Amino acid sequence: MTVTLAGLATVVPPTVLVQDEVRDVFAAQPGLTRLAQRIVSTSFGVSGIETRHTVLEELTRSARDPGDPALFFDAESGELLLPGTKARNDLYAEHAGRLYVEAGRAALDRAVGLAADDVTHVVTVSCTGFYAPGPDFVLARDLGLRAGVQRYHLGFMGCYASMPALRLAAQLCEADPDAVVLVVSVELCTLHLRTSNDPDTIVATSLFADGAGAAIVTARPAAAGERVLELDRFATRTTPQGEGDMAWKIGDHGFEMVLSNAVPGLIGEHITGALAPLLAEEADLADALAAQTAGDAITHWAVHPGGRSILDKVEAALALSASQLAPARRILRDFGNMSSATVLFVLRDILDAPETSNGDRIAAMAFGPGLTVESALMTVRG
């Protein structure tokens, strides 16, 4: 049975953050030590990011009405404020639902021959907020899905979560050939940014952004001329080290990210072993990986751009060309790290590129707490 991913769509909120301007705001915060100021300057400067998107219009100096109370940013003083977790999560509930619906509708519009009434299952993904009835309910209600649509939510898994969501969707389709699964990831990471002297927090602040990605997974035949991705297989591996180097916890003033500077090195050290089970069933790909020439065997690499140093380590460890990581670097440059949604942006960039051809192989991968490496092998059709 062939299961495909179709209708791949991405959405971002309209407010744009310019990286250099955000750097200057964070570097000027009262209470920062000289060391923290240097880390802010370095982290933002080497991030590989030029722009990011946020649901917080308030973070731009001219967006807030003078009569409205400041919650995150006092534009007059230039000071970043410290709202509590409830205030941040309330904003998540306010903004996330709209993005879930917008992304889900865009995926349905891009999937040829499929409509809302065809959707049998919904899988939603997020690690940046919670509410109930949740986003799966909102999607079913606002998109007018059938009354009996089955709904699942994968929460608080981190940056790799869209990969197990796609794997779950593929398994549902393998169990039921008529299934049509709508997968939507929404992450509002900027709701949890804050000023700090802690190096891990500063690094996270320099990287994370807001965005949404969605797709349709189904075993139904693709329409003539429609470009889709065959979902060939998935693999998951945890590295033997690094459990404490990437974490996501709930604090009194939002969710707290631990992202140590050891993460890129750990990924570079273990990425080959993490990919081995994904490619083991195809001798040519497995041999290429063992010979450190995986870049010659797979055309495209949809790597989650957790940061520029992570991409550098993956490129070196797998002997990839600069062009093979160009999609990931473009997404990082223009959108930042949108946690679980980001790999869907990279896949869409690859799928829509004019140089992508029928039969091209794509290796997709994302990294998260554990350290966990989730990967998938896909084939372009159409």
Side-chain angles (χ1 to χ4, degrees), residues 44 117 191 279 297 305 371:
F44 279 77
D117 192 54
L191 293 178
L279 308 180
L371 290 172

Side-chain angles (χ1 to χ4, degrees), residues 229-240:
L229 294 174
E230 289 183 3
L231 300 177
D232 299 326
R233 70 178 61 88
F234 293 85
T236 182
R237 282 295 183 272
T238 54
T239 64

Side-chain angles (χ1 to χ4, degrees), residues 233 275-294 297-298 361 377:
R233 70 178 61 88
L275 286 178
L278 180 74
L279 308 180
E281 295 183 26
E282 299 191 36
D284 58 334
L285 297 182
D287 290 344
L289 185 67
Q292 297 293 300
T293 58
I298 296 174
R361 309 301 298 277
L377 189 63

Side-chain angles (χ1 to χ4, degrees), residues 10-232:
T10 56
V11 174
V12 290
T15 300
V16 178
L17 299 176
V18 178
Q19 186 77 337
D20 289 350
E21 295 176 0
V22 179
R23 176 202 61 207
D24 292 345
V25 168
F26 274 85
Q29 293 307 299
L32 281 190
T33 65
R34 289 185 178 180
L35 175 60
Q37 289 174 335
R38 289 198 297 271
I39 295 173
V40 168
S41 179
T42 301
S43 296
F44 279 77
V46 304
S47 65
I49 297 170
E50 295 180 5
T51 56
R52 294 182 272 173
H53 290 254
T54 178
V55 296
L56 297 173
E57 295 180 9
E58 182 184 348
L59 292 182
T60 60
R61 289 184 177 270
S62 60
R64 186 170 59 86
D65 249 338
D68 291 342
L71 182 61
F72 279 82
F73 180 55
D74 186 336
E76 293 182 4
S77 67
E79 185 173 352
L80 290 160
L81 307 178
L82 198 60
T85 300
K86 181 182 185 305
R88 297 174 191 260
N89 197 67
D90 285 348
L91 285 172
Y92 176 87
E94 175 185 345
H95 293 285
R98 173 180 55 81
L99 286 172
Y100 272 107
V101 173
E102 187 177 349
R105 184 174 287 119
L108 285 169
D109 289 344
R110 282 174 62 93
V112 180
L114 292 174
D117 192 54
D118 292 304
V119 175
T120 58
H121 302 74
V122 168
V123 180
T124 54
V125 180
S126 190
C127 68
T128 47
F130 300 93
Y131 62 96
D136 51 305
F137 171 84
V138 172
L139 273 172
R141 180 194 66 196
D142 291 359
L143 291 180
L145 305 184
R146 59 177 69 178
V149 66
Q150 297 181 39
R151 312 192 316 263
Y152 305 89
H153 180 70
L154 302 186
F156 225 64
M157 297 180 75
C159 294
Y160 63 79
S162 284
M163 303 298 284
L166 294 177
R167 181 175 60 229
L168 171 60
Q171 290 168 342
L172 291 169
C173 293
E174 289 164 355
D176 178 3
D178 292 324
V180 175
V181 186
L182 173 61
V183 177
V184 187
S185 166
V186 172
E187 301 289 11
L188 305 185
C189 306
T190 65
L191 293 178
H192 303 289
L193 301 185
R194 76 204 68 207
T195 182
S196 175
N197 286 309
D198 176 67
D200 288 348
T201 302
I202 293 171
V203 170
T205 297
S206 72
L207 293 173
F208 284 98
D210 301 348
I216 306 293
V217 177
T218 184
R220 297 185 185 185
E226 182 183 16
R227 178 172 283 188
V228 299
L229 294 174
E230 289 183 3
L231 300 177
D232 299 326

Side-chain angles (χ1 to χ4, degrees), residues 257-287:
M257 166 61 78
V258 175
L259 187 64
S260 85
N261 58 13
V263 169
L266 288 168
I267 291 174
E269 181 181 352
H270 296 289
I271 190 65
T272 300
L275 286 178
L278 180 74
L279 308 180
E281 295 183 26
E282 299 191 36
D284 58 334
L285 297 182
D287 290 344

